[in-house]
Amino acid sequence: MTRTRSAARRTAGRTLLASALLAAAVAVPAAVPAAADAPREATAGATVTDETVTQESRLVDDFYSAYIDAVAAEDGGDLATALRGFYLTPELRERLARWEASNHADGVLLAQDVPSDHLVTAGHSGAGHTWSTVRLTWGSPQDPTYTYLTVRSDLATGKISAIRDGA
């Protein structure tokens, strides 16, 4: 799955998405588990497994889109924390806090800086999880460099449960 947009349009879309998700999480916290358990509609020609992977990868993409914008914003710390609370499992948040204390870097990005863009590619599923590859883009468009993360999502909840260096 790819998402290519201009920076201004991407920032506006991510901000609106993050605001809507946070408003929904605050207004109806009890509805979140029910929504995660709701049946998913299959797209034409897609198998159920493909659709599940696509849906989870879409959630990973939504998270990284909003999170990168929040971290890049001058006053986005509260939003970044709220996004972590909404998208990440409590266990992952605890592991990230320990990792960040040891490494003095952002555990979601596994970096001290903020990437200029990202790309999420759906991976395989098994044992109640699905994996996605997140390519983070660094530097200028004329001379980009990339790092890769492997992100695990729980199929039952849709929440991100692991982030590791994909290299």
Side-chain angles (χ1 to χ4, degrees):
M1 175 173 142
T2 60
R3 185 177 282 202
T4 306
R5 296 190 249 176
S6 71
R9 204 171 135 211
R10 183 175 58 240
T11 300
R14 290 177 183 170
T15 303
L16 288 172
L17 172 66
S19 298
L21 289 171
L22 290 174
V26 170
V28 193
V32 173
D37 294 337
R40 297 181 176 122
E41 293 181 25
T43 58
T47 65
V48 174
T49 303
D50 291 342
E51 180 59 25
T52 302
V53 171
T54 300
Q55 175 64 25
E56 300 307 323
S57 295
R58 203 172 290 135
L59 291 172
V60 170
D61 185 54
D62 291 344
F63 170 67
Y64 272 90
S65 294
Y67 188 79
I68 289 170
D69 283 343
V71 172
E74 190 172 311
D75 59 349
D78 289 340
L79 177 57
T81 300
L83 288 166
R84 284 179 175 222
F86 185 79
Y87 282 99
L88 309 180
T89 63
E91 297 82 13
L92 177 58
R93 291 194 305 268
E94 290 173 15
R95 284 194 306 269
L96 290 178
R98 288 190 302 273
W99 186 92
E100 290 168 343
S102 298
N103 293 281
H104 309 289
D106 187 304
V108 169
L109 303 171
L110 298 182
Q112 292 179 335
D113 295 324
V114 180
S116 58
D117 204 0
H118 76 286
L119 173 76
V120 174
T121 305
H124 61 282
S125 295
H129 304 287
T130 187
W131 287 263
S132 302
T133 300
V134 177
R135 183 185 78 182
L136 301 175
T137 305
W138 307 91
S140 68
Q142 297 79 18
D143 189 27
T145 58
Y146 306 102
T147 58
Y148 295 86
L149 306 174
T150 300
V151 177
R152 182 182 73 197
S153 301
D154 293 339
L155 291 173
T157 64
K159 299 219 180 252
I160 296 171
S161 57
I163 300 170
R164 65 177 187 238
D165 187 356

